[in-house]
């Protein structure tokens, strides 16, 4: 009985949306911070994390004509083919 009451209380708390509605939405990350996070994950050898920086399909290039990757497996193969140790030094909008 106690367990059921506890579960109902937790469910009730989870359903409460909380907050006053005055919270400002979190701004999207900058393109530079996304690229930096991706490069840092690759350098650390964390391919799973590196893959989270892409929405699919994605257009990629590594000194090649642009390629469209449509699956996580294709994206992982692209990431594995990159040289290790890259660091983002700067970005230029064009």
């Amino acid at each position: 009985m106690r367990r059921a009451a506890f579960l109902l209380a937790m469910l009730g708390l989870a359903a409460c949306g909380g907050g006053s509605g005055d919270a400002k939405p979190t701004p999207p990350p900058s393109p530079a911070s996304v690229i930096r996070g991706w490069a840092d994950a690759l350098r650390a050898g964390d391919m799973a994390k590196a893959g989270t920086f892409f929405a699919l399909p994605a257009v990629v290039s590594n000194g090649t004509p642009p390629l469209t990757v449509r699956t996580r497996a294709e994206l992982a193969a692209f990431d594995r083919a990159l040289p290790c140790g890259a660091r983002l030094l700067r970005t230029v909008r064009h």
Side-chain angles (χ1 to χ4, degrees), residues 3 11 17 39 41 60 62 75 77 87 89:
R3 184 174 179 184
L11 187 59
V60 298
N62 181 24
L75 180 58
R87 292 185 190 273
L89 300 178

Side-chain angles (χ1 to χ4, degrees), residues 8-93:
L8 284 173
M10 291 293 102
L11 187 59
L13 287 175
C16 281
S20 65
D22 294 335
K24 293 182 182 177
T26 304
S30 70
S33 69
V34 171
I35 296 166
R36 185 172 286 108
W38 172 69
D40 290 349
L42 284 178
R43 196 173 51 260
D46 191 344
M47 295 299 162
K49 184 175 181 182
T52 67
F53 289 91
F54 284 84
L56 296 176
V59 178
V60 298
S61 177
N62 181 24
T64 64
L67 306 167
T68 301
V69 294
R70 291 181 172 79
T71 67
R72 293 284 163 201
E74 290 174 346
L75 180 58
F78 172 77
D79 281 347
R80 282 192 305 272
L82 295 170
C84 62
R87 292 185 190 273
L88 177 64
L89 300 178
R90 67 187 174 102
T91 61
V92 178
R93 181 182 301 266

